[in-house]
Short mmCIF file of all heavy atoms in Angstrom, two decimals:
data_model
loop_
_atom_site.label_atom_id
_atom_site.label_comp_id
_atom_site.label_asym_id
_atom_site.label_seq_id
_atom_site.Cartn_x
_atom_site.Cartn_y
_atom_site.Cartn_z
N VAL Q 412 109.82 -74.01 -141.28
CA VAL Q 412 110.19 -72.76 -141.93
C VAL Q 412 111.34 -73.05 -142.90
O VAL Q 412 111.31 -72.52 -144.03
CB VAL Q 412 110.66 -71.76 -140.85
CG1 VAL Q 412 111.11 -70.46 -141.48
CG2 VAL Q 412 109.53 -71.48 -139.81
N LEU Q 413 112.27 -73.80 -142.49
CA LEU Q 413 113.45 -74.05 -143.33
C LEU Q 413 113.25 -74.99 -144.46
O LEU Q 413 113.89 -74.87 -145.51
CB LEU Q 413 114.61 -74.51 -142.46
CG LEU Q 413 115.11 -73.54 -141.34
CD1 LEU Q 413 116.23 -74.18 -140.56
CD2 LEU Q 413 115.57 -72.26 -141.97
N ALA Q 414 112.37 -76.00 -144.24
CA ALA Q 414 112.18 -77.04 -145.27
C ALA Q 414 111.77 -76.47 -146.64
O ALA Q 414 112.43 -76.82 -147.64
CB ALA Q 414 111.15 -78.07 -144.79
N PRO Q 415 110.80 -75.58 -146.73
CA PRO Q 415 110.48 -75.04 -148.03
C PRO Q 415 111.58 -74.15 -148.61
O PRO Q 415 111.81 -74.13 -149.83
CB PRO Q 415 109.21 -74.25 -147.81
CG PRO Q 415 109.16 -73.97 -146.35
CD PRO Q 415 109.83 -75.13 -145.69
N VAL Q 416 112.30 -73.46 -147.75
CA VAL Q 416 113.41 -72.61 -148.20
C VAL Q 416 114.52 -73.47 -148.79
O VAL Q 416 115.12 -73.15 -149.80
CB VAL Q 416 113.98 -71.79 -147.02
CG1 VAL Q 416 115.20 -70.98 -147.46
CG2 VAL Q 416 112.85 -70.86 -146.52
N ILE Q 417 114.71 -74.65 -148.19
CA ILE Q 417 115.74 -75.55 -148.68
C ILE Q 417 115.24 -76.34 -149.91
O ILE Q 417 115.91 -76.53 -150.90
CB ILE Q 417 116.14 -76.52 -147.53
CG1 ILE Q 417 116.84 -75.77 -146.40
CG2 ILE Q 417 117.05 -77.64 -148.09
CD1 ILE Q 417 117.08 -76.56 -145.16
N ALA Q 418 114.00 -76.82 -149.77
CA ALA Q 418 113.46 -77.78 -150.76
C ALA Q 418 113.22 -77.12 -152.14
O ALA Q 418 113.52 -77.74 -153.17
CB ALA Q 418 112.18 -78.41 -150.24
N ALA Q 419 112.65 -75.93 -152.15
CA ALA Q 419 112.27 -75.30 -153.42
C ALA Q 419 113.47 -75.17 -154.37
O ALA Q 419 113.40 -75.59 -155.49
CB ALA Q 419 111.60 -73.98 -153.16
N PRO Q 420 114.62 -74.59 -153.95
CA PRO Q 420 115.74 -74.49 -154.86
C PRO Q 420 116.35 -75.82 -155.16
O PRO Q 420 116.87 -76.05 -156.29
CB PRO Q 420 116.76 -73.60 -154.14
CG PRO Q 420 116.34 -73.67 -152.67
CD PRO Q 420 114.86 -73.86 -152.67
N VAL Q 421 116.33 -76.81 -154.25
CA VAL Q 421 116.86 -78.11 -154.51
C VAL Q 421 116.07 -78.78 -155.62
O VAL Q 421 116.61 -79.36 -156.59
CB VAL Q 421 116.93 -79.00 -153.24
CG1 VAL Q 421 117.28 -80.42 -153.60
CG2 VAL Q 421 117.92 -78.43 -152.25
N VAL Q 422 114.74 -78.76 -155.50
CA VAL Q 422 113.87 -79.39 -156.49
C VAL Q 422 114.01 -78.69 -157.87
O VAL Q 422 114.05 -79.37 -158.90
CB VAL Q 422 112.41 -79.37 -156.03
CG1 VAL Q 422 111.48 -79.82 -157.15
CG2 VAL Q 422 112.25 -80.28 -154.84
N THR Q 423 114.13 -77.39 -157.82
CA THR Q 423 114.11 -76.62 -159.10
C THR Q 423 115.47 -76.57 -159.77
O THR Q 423 115.54 -76.65 -161.01
CB THR Q 423 113.65 -75.15 -158.80
OG1 THR Q 423 112.39 -75.21 -158.09
CG2 THR Q 423 113.49 -74.38 -160.09
N HIS Q 424 116.54 -76.45 -158.96
CA HIS Q 424 117.83 -76.15 -159.59
C HIS Q 424 119.00 -77.09 -159.20
O HIS Q 424 120.02 -77.09 -159.91
CB HIS Q 424 118.27 -74.75 -159.24
CG HIS Q 424 117.31 -73.64 -159.60
ND1 HIS Q 424 116.96 -73.36 -160.91
CD2 HIS Q 424 116.58 -72.84 -158.83
CE1 HIS Q 424 116.05 -72.37 -160.94
NE2 HIS Q 424 115.80 -72.01 -159.70
N LEU Q 425 118.85 -77.89 -158.15
CA LEU Q 425 120.00 -78.54 -157.61
C LEU Q 425 119.84 -80.12 -157.59
O LEU Q 425 120.41 -80.74 -156.70
CB LEU Q 425 120.27 -78.04 -156.19
CG LEU Q 425 120.56 -76.55 -156.05
CD1 LEU Q 425 120.73 -76.16 -154.62
CD2 LEU Q 425 121.90 -76.23 -156.84
N GLY Q 426 119.14 -80.63 -158.53
CA GLY Q 426 119.07 -82.10 -158.61
C GLY Q 426 117.73 -82.71 -158.47
O GLY Q 426 117.63 -83.93 -158.51
N GLY Q 427 116.68 -81.93 -158.27
CA GLY Q 427 115.34 -82.43 -158.21
C GLY Q 427 115.08 -83.29 -156.97
O GLY Q 427 115.72 -83.15 -155.94
N TYR Q 428 114.16 -84.21 -157.12
CA TYR Q 428 113.67 -84.99 -155.98
C TYR Q 428 114.73 -86.02 -155.50
O TYR Q 428 114.80 -86.39 -154.34
CB TYR Q 428 112.35 -85.69 -156.30
CG TYR Q 428 111.22 -84.69 -156.39
CD1 TYR Q 428 110.81 -84.26 -157.62
CD2 TYR Q 428 110.63 -84.16 -155.24
CE1 TYR Q 428 109.73 -83.32 -157.74
CE2 TYR Q 428 109.61 -83.26 -155.34
CZ TYR Q 428 109.16 -82.84 -156.58
OH TYR Q 428 108.11 -81.92 -156.70
N THR Q 429 115.62 -86.43 -156.39
CA THR Q 429 116.72 -87.33 -155.96
C THR Q 429 117.59 -86.61 -154.93
O THR Q 429 117.91 -87.16 -153.89
CB THR Q 429 117.54 -87.74 -157.20
OG1 THR Q 429 116.71 -88.47 -158.08
CG2 THR Q 429 118.71 -88.64 -156.75
N ALA Q 430 118.00 -85.39 -155.26
CA ALA Q 430 118.85 -84.64 -154.33
C ALA Q 430 118.10 -84.29 -153.07
O ALA Q 430 118.64 -84.31 -151.97
CB ALA Q 430 119.37 -83.36 -154.99
N LEU Q 431 116.78 -83.99 -153.19
CA LEU Q 431 115.99 -83.57 -152.02
C LEU Q 431 115.91 -84.69 -151.00
O LEU Q 431 116.16 -84.48 -149.81
CB LEU Q 431 114.61 -83.16 -152.47
CG LEU Q 431 113.65 -82.68 -151.35
CD1 LEU Q 431 114.12 -81.33 -150.84
CD2 LEU Q 431 112.23 -82.57 -151.88
N TYR Q 432 115.60 -85.90 -151.44
CA TYR Q 432 115.43 -87.00 -150.49
C TYR Q 432 116.80 -87.56 -150.05
O TYR Q 432 116.86 -88.12 -148.96
CB TYR Q 432 114.54 -88.07 -151.11
CG TYR Q 432 113.07 -87.62 -151.08
CD1 TYR Q 432 112.46 -87.14 -152.22
CD2 TYR Q 432 112.36 -87.65 -149.92
CE1 TYR Q 432 111.15 -86.69 -152.22
CE2 TYR Q 432 111.02 -87.20 -149.85
CZ TYR Q 432 110.41 -86.72 -151.01
OH TYR Q 432 109.13 -86.25 -150.98
N ALA Q 433 117.85 -87.44 -150.84
CA ALA Q 433 119.13 -87.76 -150.33
C ALA Q 433 119.55 -86.84 -149.23
O ALA Q 433 120.18 -87.28 -148.22
CB ALA Q 433 120.16 -87.69 -151.48
N LEU Q 434 119.26 -85.55 -149.33
CA LEU Q 434 119.51 -84.62 -148.28
C LEU Q 434 118.76 -84.96 -147.01
O LEU Q 434 119.32 -84.91 -145.90
CB LEU Q 434 119.17 -83.17 -148.77
CG LEU Q 434 119.24 -82.04 -147.69
CD1 LEU Q 434 120.68 -81.90 -147.19
CD2 LEU Q 434 118.74 -80.74 -148.29
N ALA Q 435 117.50 -85.33 -147.20
CA ALA Q 435 116.69 -85.72 -146.02
C ALA Q 435 117.31 -86.92 -145.32
O ALA Q 435 117.32 -87.00 -144.06
CB ALA Q 435 115.24 -86.03 -146.47
N GLY Q 436 117.78 -87.88 -146.06
CA GLY Q 436 118.42 -89.07 -145.49
C GLY Q 436 119.67 -88.71 -144.72
O GLY Q 436 119.95 -89.23 -143.64
N ALA Q 437 120.49 -87.80 -145.28
CA ALA Q 437 121.74 -87.38 -144.62
C ALA Q 437 121.43 -86.66 -143.29
O ALA Q 437 122.11 -86.87 -142.28
CB ALA Q 437 122.53 -86.48 -145.55
N LEU Q 438 120.41 -85.87 -143.28
CA LEU Q 438 120.01 -85.13 -142.03
C LEU Q 438 119.58 -86.12 -140.95
O LEU Q 438 119.97 -85.99 -139.77
CB LEU Q 438 118.91 -84.14 -142.35
CG LEU Q 438 119.27 -82.91 -143.18
CD1 LEU Q 438 118.04 -82.15 -143.62
CD2 LEU Q 438 120.20 -81.99 -142.41
N ALA Q 439 118.79 -87.10 -141.35
CA ALA Q 439 118.33 -88.10 -140.38
C ALA Q 439 119.52 -88.90 -139.80
O ALA Q 439 119.58 -89.24 -138.62
CB ALA Q 439 117.30 -89.03 -140.99
N LEU Q 440 120.47 -89.24 -140.66
CA LEU Q 440 121.64 -89.99 -140.25
C LEU Q 440 122.46 -89.19 -139.23
O LEU Q 440 122.82 -89.71 -138.16
CB LEU Q 440 122.51 -90.32 -141.45
CG LEU Q 440 123.80 -91.06 -141.23
CD1 LEU Q 440 123.52 -92.42 -140.59
CD2 LEU Q 440 124.61 -91.22 -142.51
N VAL Q 441 122.74 -87.97 -139.52
CA VAL Q 441 123.48 -87.07 -138.58
C VAL Q 441 122.74 -86.88 -137.28
O VAL Q 441 123.31 -87.00 -136.18
CB VAL Q 441 123.82 -85.70 -139.23
CG1 VAL Q 441 124.48 -84.80 -138.23
CG2 VAL Q 441 124.73 -85.89 -140.42
#
Side-chain angles (χ1 to χ4, degrees):
V412 179
L413 297 179
V416 175
I417 295 170
V421 171
V422 170
T423 306
H424 304 295
L425 300 175
Y428 290 100
T429 299
L431 182 69
Y432 286 101
L434 173 62
L438 290 168
L440 178 62
V441 173

